[in-house]
Amino acid sequence: MLRFLQRRNQSSAFQSFGNSKGLVASTQWDFMEKLEKAHPKRQVIAFIFMMVLVQVCSEPTIRYSILEETESGSFVAHLAKDLGLGAGELAARSARVVSDDYKQRLLLDPETGDLLLREKVDREEVCSTVDPCVLHFQVTLEKPVQYFQGELLIQDINDHAPEFPEGEMLLNIPENSQPGTLLPLNLAQDLDVGSNGLQQYTVSPNSYFHVLTRNNSEGKKYPELVQDRALDREEQAELSLTLTALDGGSPPRSGTAQVRILMIDINDNAPEFVNSPYEVQVLESSPPDSPVLTVLARDADAGNFGRVSYGFFQASDEIQRTFSINKVTGEIRLKKALDFEKNKFYHVKIEAMDGGGLSGKGLIMVEVVDVNDNAPELTISSLTSSVPENAPETIISIFRVGDRDSGENGKVVCSIPENLPFILKSTFKNFYTLVTESPLDRESRAEYNITIMVSDLGTPRLTTWHTITVQVSDINDNAPAFTRTSYTMFVSENNSPALHIGTISATDSDSGSNAHITYSLLPPHDPELPLSSLISINADNGQLFALRALDYEALQAFEFHVSATDRGSPSLSSQALVRVVVLDDNDNAPFVLYPLQNASAPCTELLPRAAEPGYLVTKVVAVDRDSGQNAWLSFQLLKATEPGLFSVWAHNGEVRTTRLLSERDAPKHRLLMLVKDNGDPPRSASVTLHVLLVDGFSQPYLSLPEVAPDPTQEVEDMLTVYLVIALASVSSLFLLSVVLFVGVKLCRRAREPSLGGCSVPEELFPGHLVDVSGTGTLSHNYQYEVCLTGDSGTGEFKFLKPMIPNLLVQDAGRELNENLRCRDSFVFS
């Protein structure tokens, strides 16, 4: 059975390949003949391998090309069409694309049959310098198994510029190098290939070299410098060129490197003395080993050829006994003392020789000069080492000068520096007096070193210097000076007593006790400011202390002056202003002005059941004695009898309804609100509101049980209590006046025979039902007509309807007829 299947497959394979595949078929027949003699399992494996090999070899190779750096997802080819397959056949046969480099760079869409790029392809990364760059892949199909070979040619783009391995090249060329000399240089590398690769080299314009582009044994282009003219290191020792490598892309890219050329010296220059002949004068009193002069010869060559050594040339025995020369430095020194009377001039020939054997000659003419042997002398007769400042014409010293020489060498001149406040006065023969020219200032300079210079008139002159040190003693002529004219210090309220709040500082340019400063507080300009109980100062260092705790609400800032006094005689002083700013602390809780919580009866707000959402029930008014953010108040509803029925505006304390009222809502509501400031930590106060639901305003006022005040609540500042009482009294009087005024006006307007007199109800409305400011329960935008029944029991208070104010007068007759059923009529606005 196995041989039958093998021969059947061989026959079908041979028929499918045809004559063009005869070699494969014959090989398969030979292999199968050997397979019959093998083990059965090996025969099966070999059979499967041969089937795959036949399928691979049976299909032609498909070839595509793309440009490198093409974006991922780009279209490569319509693979299904190129393979002669129908739409959807790739998906049905489970088509796959596999690359030879085990990286899935291609993506096949089985539905459309399109071959796409999975990722951006970099030709240099895939193939490096290999050209052409071909990516091999296979397309596998199932049912039946079929393989297709594919090649993807990645075309190069000019995305790389030539680069030199080093940014600078160093060349050493002898200066006697001849024109036409060739100098190969390092080549540049370009990752691109073909026409995008490196094409030529150029060099910056110069008169010495040009560049040629050569090909090495590997076919790579390298630069070669060609010398155009002779070099001269002494003319130009170094040359810097810019070498540029260009590729053939469009547009072309380039890379540069610096070529530094150093000229190597040859010995073509002899040493030359800088100042030949040299002329020098030497004092006859110069001791042995004294330097005479240093000669200098220069050689334009470099290295050993430019290194110069010195020596005497054709020197006599007298010159060799008198002078010596340093071979390296060229310094000439005396070997013995000179005698002007014996020899006044010397002519010394010298020689300079370089390392190549070339030499240069020079001449030194030495003149022996007669000298002044004795220096002037100065003798102090009297000296004052300390002088008080501000004292003019003070004698510092008396001294005598002289010189033991005779003639011009014995005459002397005495002087002191011109930038000192002192003068010399010649008194008698060679006696001089040193006095102050102007008053001295110790603060500008406390000590003077006066150098007295005495010179004779000899040739050369001899000079004697003598220094006198003068100390300037201090007097108290400077008052203390504060570092600043005013100081500002910040203190948080409720501070601890004896708190250090700052330091003032003053300086005195005097010295000793004249500079010792004592600090003190000056009486304040405001007689009501208890400065002595608020602030104290350390007399020695100027530290300020707060004596007691400060209260921002009582005293926010205050000023005072401090004095700094020295201990001179007489003493001097100065003043500075100190301003102390008290910073607020959050030490006061919010205080509720309305509604009052310590009243004998709780405050009750009436709310009509017909109120719309957003109806203003009441407004909580609170204050905070602190300032800034410590006084920023926010309102919050903590607890309510009916959650969701009321809302509180956080910034103004307005209590409004959030929905329509229903019959199921409780008639009495209790709201617990929290008033909190913005301090750190925050402080708060709570307030309880009682809201009574009414049908219109016709129900009688229902008083709630009295609520006893909280015995633990402490009474705040008396000033706040007085303020609250005054505001409540004024508000009550104002509301009462408005109600009476409106009632009287309406009674006069509505009085007619058919209606009878207008009577005012015995009990007035609660004050909180009348809105005057526009922020209460009633709005300025509408006027309401209210009827009150005259029953002795309960007065019916009912909203009839809103009326537009400008129609009130026009429709007065019509409205009057409608009101015949009412005993009293009020209009609230």
Side-chain angles (χ1 to χ4, degrees):
M1 184 65 182
L2 178 60
R3 291 181 179 179
F4 173 76
L5 291 175
Q6 290 173 346
R7 291 181 178 179
R8 181 180 179 182
N9 290 334
Q10 292 167 356
S11 176
S12 62
F14 180 78
Q15 293 175 359
S16 62
F17 290 145
N19 295 330
S20 62
K21 306 300 179 181
L23 178 61
V24 176
S26 61
T27 303
Q28 185 179 11
W29 281 110
D30 295 339
F31 179 78
M32 291 304 298
E33 289 176 359
K34 297 178 181 179
L35 185 63
E36 291 177 357
K37 302 176 183 180
H39 193 274
K41 291 184 178 181
R42 294 181 179 178
Q43 292 178 357
V44 174
I45 296 174
F47 170 73
I48 296 174
F49 174 76
M50 287 300 301
M51 291 301 298
V52 172
L53 179 63
V54 169
Q55 291 296 330
V56 171
C57 296
S58 64
E59 299 300 340
T61 301
I62 53 178
R63 294 181 175 86
Y64 303 108
S65 67
I66 60 169
L67 292 176
E68 68 167 326
E69 303 297 337
T70 303
E71 297 295 330
S72 60
S74 299
F75 175 79
V76 177
H78 190 64
L79 186 61
K81 180 179 178 182
D82 295 341
L83 297 179
L85 302 177
E89 190 172 353
L90 291 178
R93 299 183 62 182
S94 302
R96 294 183 181 85
V97 177
V98 180
S99 299
D100 284 359
D101 59 353
Y102 302 103
K103 292 185 179 180
Q104 198 66 19
R105 303 182 188 274
L106 298 175
L107 177 66
L108 178 61
D109 188 347
E111 301 298 332
T112 62
D114 293 339
L115 184 63
L116 307 175
L117 276 180
R118 179 183 292 273
E119 61 182 19
K120 184 186 292 186
V121 179
D122 186 2
R123 192 204 68 81
E124 288 74 26
E125 178 184 353
V126 176
C127 299
S128 185
T129 59
V130 177
D131 188 37
C133 180
V134 178
L135 179 64
H136 297 275
F137 66 92
Q138 293 82 34
V139 180
T140 62
L141 300 175
E142 298 178 1
K143 301 176 184 180
V145 176
Q146 193 173 6
Y147 294 87
F148 295 92
Q149 291 287 343
E151 294 180 356
L152 179 63
L153 175 64
I154 304 175
Q155 300 179 0
D156 183 49
I157 63 173
N158 192 23
D159 56 343
H160 293 86
E163 291 184 3
F164 287 94
E166 296 178 352
E168 184 179 80
M169 306 179 195
L170 181 63
L171 297 179
N172 293 316
I173 305 176
E175 63 175 329
N176 59 351
S177 176
Q178 298 300 317
T181 302
L182 301 179
L183 302 172
L185 303 176
N186 289 336
L187 54 79
Q189 299 289 339
D190 193 334
L191 297 180
D192 296 323
V193 296
S195 60
N196 294 327
L198 179 63
Q199 299 296 323
Q200 63 174 343
Y201 295 91
T202 62
V203 71
S204 58
N206 66 96
S207 59
Y208 292 97
F209 298 93
H210 70 275
V211 68
L212 297 178
T213 303
R214 306 282 193 183
N215 290 326
N216 60 13
S217 59
E218 298 178 358
K220 295 184 179 180
K221 293 180 172 58
Y222 69 93
E224 192 172 51
L225 281 181
V226 182
Q227 184 177 340
D228 294 333
R229 52 173 287 193
L231 307 177
D232 187 359
R233 195 202 67 82
E234 288 73 32
E235 177 183 345
Q236 187 171 0
E238 182 178 337
L239 184 64
S240 182
L241 305 177
T242 300
L243 181 64
T244 304
L246 298 170
D247 62 16
S250 180
R253 293 174 175 264
S254 63
T256 61
Q258 295 296 320
V259 180
R260 184 183 173 195
I261 302 174
L262 300 180
M263 314 297 181
I264 301 176
D265 183 47
I266 62 173
N267 192 24
D268 56 348
N269 294 278
E272 294 182 0
F273 283 97
V274 176
N275 296 318
S276 183
Y278 291 91
E279 295 180 359
V280 62
Q281 293 179 340
V282 182
L283 299 178
E284 65 170 331
S285 59
S286 299
D289 200 37
S290 297
V292 178
L293 84 161
T294 300
V295 295
L296 176 63
R298 292 177 179 173
D299 195 318
D301 295 324
N304 187 48
F305 297 144
R307 189 176 295 111
V308 178
S309 60
Y310 301 93
F312 292 120
F313 179 71
Q314 297 178 354
S316 63
D317 293 339
E318 178 65 20
I319 291 178
Q320 292 181 0
R321 288 194 301 266
T322 306
F323 302 98
S324 66
I325 186 169
N326 189 306
K327 294 183 179 181
V328 178
T329 63
E331 183 183 35
I332 298 176
R333 290 179 173 269
L334 290 176
K335 295 176 68 176
K336 68 174 184 176
L338 302 178
D339 187 356
F340 175 79
E341 287 71 24
K342 182 178 180 181
N343 200 343
K344 297 181 180 179
F345 292 96
Y346 291 93
H347 294 270
V348 182
K349 294 181 181 179
I350 54 177
E351 179 184 37
M353 183 177 294
D354 63 17
L358 300 180
S359 63
K361 306 300 186 293
L363 177 63
I364 302 175
M365 292 185 294
V366 180
E367 180 184 358
V368 181
V369 180
D370 192 17
V371 296
N372 184 16
D373 298 60
N374 297 285
E377 297 178 356
L378 184 146
T379 304
I380 299 293
S381 300
S382 66
L383 177 63
T384 302
S385 59
S386 179
V387 179
E389 62 177 332
N390 298 332
E393 295 290 335
T394 301
I395 296 176
I396 304 300
S397 176
I398 299 175
F399 58 91
R400 177 181 178 271
V401 296
D403 195 317
R404 296 182 181 182
D405 294 326
S406 60
E408 293 295 323
N409 294 333
K411 295 179 181 180
V412 296
V413 176
C414 187
S415 64
I416 61 174
E418 297 180 355
N419 58 345
L420 297 178
F422 302 94
I423 58 175
L424 283 176
K425 292 183 178 181
S426 179
T427 56
F428 176 75
K429 291 186 178 180
N430 291 337
F431 282 89
Y432 289 87
T433 303
L434 179 63
V435 298
T436 58
E437 183 180 15
S438 60
L440 305 180
D441 185 8
R442 192 207 63 82
E443 286 71 36
S444 60
R445 189 168 180 177
E447 181 181 278
Y448 291 90
N449 292 318
I450 307 170
T451 300
I452 303 174
M453 183 178 67
V454 183
S455 301
D456 61 19
L457 300 181
T459 304
R461 287 190 175 187
L462 295 180
T463 304
T464 298
W465 289 271
H466 186 82
T467 301
I468 297 176
T469 300
V470 177
Q471 301 288 340
V472 182
S473 59
D474 183 51
I475 64 173
N476 192 25
D477 56 346
N478 292 279
F482 282 95
T483 56
R484 287 183 288 177
T485 57
S486 62
Y487 297 83
T488 301
M489 300 178 182
F490 298 90
V491 185
S492 297
E493 65 171 330
N494 303 322
N495 59 284
S496 59
L499 175 68
H500 176 230
I501 62 175
T503 302
I504 61 173
S505 178
T507 58
D508 196 318
S509 55
D510 293 324
S511 64
S513 61
N514 296 331
H516 194 283
I517 299 175
T518 301
Y519 300 92
S520 61
L521 298 177
L522 296 179
H525 296 297
D526 186 3
E528 297 182 358
L529 179 65
L531 183 62
S532 60
S533 63
L534 295 176
I535 299 295
S536 70
I537 188 170
N538 189 311
D540 295 327
N541 54 25
Q543 292 183 347
L544 293 172
F545 299 90
L547 296 180
R548 61 181 176 85
L550 302 177
D551 186 4
Y552 174 83
E553 287 72 29
L555 182 63
Q556 298 180 359
F558 58 93
E559 296 178 348
F560 57 91
H561 285 83
V562 294
S563 172
T565 306
D566 60 25
R567 294 187 181 180
S569 179
S571 61
L572 301 177
S573 64
S574 60
Q575 299 180 8
L577 176 65
V578 179
R579 176 178 174 81
V580 178
V581 179
V582 182
L583 302 178
D584 183 41
D585 248 353
N586 191 24
D587 56 346
N588 292 282
F591 182 78
V592 179
L593 297 178
Y594 180 82
L596 292 177
Q597 296 301 295
N598 56 354
S600 59
C603 181
T604 303
E605 305 292 342
L606 297 184
L607 175 63
R609 290 187 178 273
E612 297 291 332
Y615 180 82
L616 178 62
V617 179
T618 185
K619 180 176 182 179
V620 178
V621 180
V623 295
D624 196 314
R625 294 182 61 194
D626 294 321
S627 64
Q629 67 175 10
N630 294 331
W632 297 350
L633 301 182
S634 60
F635 301 85
Q636 180 182 357
L637 182 60
L638 294 179
K639 186 177 180 182
T641 303
E642 187 74 25
L645 179 58
F646 299 96
S647 65
V648 178
W649 286 23
H651 298 295
N652 57 14
E654 293 183 354
V655 180
R656 297 179 180 269
T657 58
T658 58
R659 59 176 175 81
L660 290 173
L661 300 174
S662 63
E663 295 297 333
R664 292 179 295 178
D665 292 328
K668 298 178 183 180
H669 292 266
R670 182 176 178 272
L671 307 180
L672 179 61
M673 291 180 56
L674 179 69
V675 182
K676 183 170 63 174
D677 59 25
N678 198 36
D680 185 18
R683 292 177 174 267
S684 60
S686 61
V687 57
T688 303
L689 300 177
H690 297 274
V691 180
L692 181 63
L693 303 185
V694 296
D695 294 328
F697 281 124
S698 61
Q699 291 184 2
Y701 175 76
L702 299 178
S703 58
L704 295 177
E706 294 185 358
V707 179
D710 187 2
T712 61
Q713 181 178 3
E714 296 182 358
V715 178
E716 301 293 337
D717 192 272
M718 292 304 297
L719 180 61
T720 304
V721 175
Y722 294 152
L723 177 61
V724 172
I725 295 174
L727 289 175
S729 302
V730 172
S731 300
S732 301
L733 292 175
F734 178 73
L735 294 175
L736 180 61
S737 301
V738 170
V739 171
L740 292 177
F741 175 77
V742 173
V744 172
K745 293 294 290 184
L746 292 178
C747 287
R748 290 179 180 178
R749 291 175 54 187
R751 184 178 299 164
E752 290 187 6
S754 60
L755 298 178
C758 178
S759 62
V760 180
E762 296 179 358
E763 294 183 1
L764 297 176
F765 291 110
H768 58 274
L769 294 182
V770 180
D771 181 74
V772 179
S773 63
T775 61
T777 57
L778 301 181
S779 172
H780 280 303
N781 299 329
Y782 295 94
Q783 292 181 341
Y784 293 90
E785 187 172 313
V786 182
C787 289
L788 297 174
T789 60
D791 299 342
S792 59
T794 60
E796 184 178 1
F797 184 86
K798 180 183 297 182
F799 285 98
L800 294 182
K801 62 180 178 178
M803 299 176 59
I804 300 177
N806 58 5
L807 299 179
L808 183 62
V809 178
Q810 299 177 2
D811 298 339
R814 180 172 55 85
E815 293 296 336
L816 183 61
N817 294 331
E818 294 179 359
N819 294 336
L820 292 178
R821 295 171 298 172
C822 299
R823 179 176 179 181
D824 297 306
S825 178
F826 293 92
V827 177
F828 293 93
S829 60

